């Protein structure tokens, strides 16, 4: 079987129309997940028994189940639950599916970021908090000015990995009819059954995106390296 290079050339440009959706899912999910994950990580370090138990159970549950299953459960069962409650609301027609994608990937990212933030915060000597308080800073000020900048440098490689995996994982959003990169490729391929060509194009688009993200994080690591 010969590859249709004319189709690949046209589709490669078409796939970039799905990049804004892919990046929206990635960026919004990271922004929403970060404060929750930081709260979980901080309370686990401080030994808050209730929050620590909740976060441990949550992290274990999310990391122990496939994201495909999480997507199908939220997207499919939510509609069933709403109908069972007798609510006249068609979530498939009245809600933009990108919101479901953002919710699913945010919930998944919270679990992953919690572990990254926890290990990063633990890498900063505990004596620095005591030193900050002893010179008149509040605990909050010490975290903002001293601890978090140092922990951020340690956390950046882990955050980079999560971001890259989030970009790649967002390709599953087509299961919720979200028109991201993968969905655009599948739609274009369906007319002439050029799925191999479309997948090769998608492969290149994701490779370029992930490379750019990794270079950006590498630059951030060098920039924040002064806090080491």
């Amino acid at each position: 079987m010969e590859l249709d290079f004319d189709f690949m050339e046209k589709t490669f440009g078409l796939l970039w129309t799905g990049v804004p959706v892919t990046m929206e899912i990635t960026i919004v999910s990271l922004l929403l997940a970060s404060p929750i994950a930081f709260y979980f990580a901080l309370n686990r370090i401080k030994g808050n028994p209730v929050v620590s138990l909740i976060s441990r159970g949550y992290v274990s549950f999310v990391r122990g189940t496939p994201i495909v299953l999480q997507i199908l459960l939220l997207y499919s069962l939510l509609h069933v639950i709403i109908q069972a409650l007798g609510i006249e609301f068609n979530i498939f027609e009245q809600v933009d599916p990108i919101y479901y994608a953002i919710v699913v990937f945010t919930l998944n990212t919270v679990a992953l970021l919690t572990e990254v933030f926890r290990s990063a915060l633990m890498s900063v000597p505990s004596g620095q908090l005591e030193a900050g308080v002893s010179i008149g800073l509040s605990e909050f000020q010490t975290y903002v000015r001293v601890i978090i900048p140092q922990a951020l440098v340690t956390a950046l490689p882990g955050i980079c990995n999560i971001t890259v995996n989030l970009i790649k994982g967002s390709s599953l959003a087509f299961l919720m009819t979200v028109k991201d990169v993968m969905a655009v490729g599948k739609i274009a391929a369906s007319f002439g059954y050029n799925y191999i060509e479309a997948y090769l194009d998608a492969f290149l688009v994701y490779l370029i995106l992930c490379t750019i993200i990794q270079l950006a994080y590498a630059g951030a690591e060098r920039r924040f390296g002064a806090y080491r």
Side-chain angles (χ1 to χ4, degrees):
M1 186 183 69
E2 296 183 0
L3 294 177
D4 187 342
F5 290 103
D6 289 334
F7 173 84
M8 288 185 66
E9 183 179 351
K10 294 177 182 177
T11 305
F12 182 75
L14 184 63
L15 287 180
W16 286 96
T17 63
V19 169
V21 176
T22 294
M23 295 309 299
E24 180 182 356
I25 294 172
T26 300
I27 294 171
V28 174
S29 297
L30 280 172
L31 291 176
L32 292 177
S34 293
I36 303 172
F38 185 80
Y39 175 77
F40 280 167
L42 190 59
N43 278 275
R44 285 186 63 176
I45 291 174
K46 288 186 173 183
N48 186 313
V50 176
V51 179
S52 181
L53 180 63
I54 293 173
S55 64
R56 285 175 184 272
Y58 179 76
V59 170
S60 178
F61 171 77
V62 172
R63 295 175 68 179
T65 55
I67 191 169
V68 174
L69 182 59
Q70 296 167 20
I71 290 172
L72 295 175
L73 283 175
L74 180 67
Y75 193 56
S76 301
L77 285 182
L78 187 59
H79 179 66
V80 175
I81 293 172
I82 289 175
Q83 286 188 325
L85 294 174
I87 301 174
E88 295 296 330
F89 185 77
N90 191 327
I91 61 173
F92 298 122
E93 296 179 358
Q94 296 176 263
V95 179
D96 191 328
I98 194 172
Y99 294 128
Y100 296 106
I102 289 173
V103 169
V104 170
F105 288 108
T106 296
L107 293 174
N108 187 270
T109 304
V110 165
L112 302 178
L113 279 178
T114 295
E115 293 302 297
V116 170
F117 287 158
R118 185 173 69 88
S119 61
L121 288 170
M122 290 179 66
S123 70
V124 180
S126 58
Q128 296 200 22
L129 177 59
E130 300 171 2
V133 173
S134 68
I135 63 173
L137 296 175
S138 67
E139 185 174 321
F140 176 78
Q141 289 174 322
T142 304
Y143 267 101
V144 172
R145 298 182 182 181
V146 180
I147 296 177
I148 293 178
Q150 296 179 75
L152 180 61
V153 179
T154 305
L156 276 176
I159 298 174
C160 177
N161 289 334
I162 290 173
T163 304
V164 169
N165 287 332
L166 192 52
I167 290 174
K168 294 184 293 185
S170 67
S171 62
L172 295 171
F174 79 90
L175 294 172
M176 294 175 279
T177 68
V178 175
K179 293 184 179 179
D180 67 329
V181 173
M182 183 59 70
V184 172
K186 289 177 71 67
I187 292 171
S190 64
F191 294 103
Y193 296 96
N194 300 101
Y195 287 102
I196 294 179
E197 291 90 339
Y199 292 151
L200 286 173
D201 279 337
F203 173 85
L204 291 175
V205 170
Y206 281 114
L207 181 62
I208 293 171
L209 279 179
C210 292
T211 300
I212 292 172
I213 292 298
Q214 291 178 79
L215 291 174
Y217 273 103
E221 282 189 66
R222 290 192 296 270
R223 173 68 178 82
F224 291 105
Y227 290 105
R228 289 188 181 277

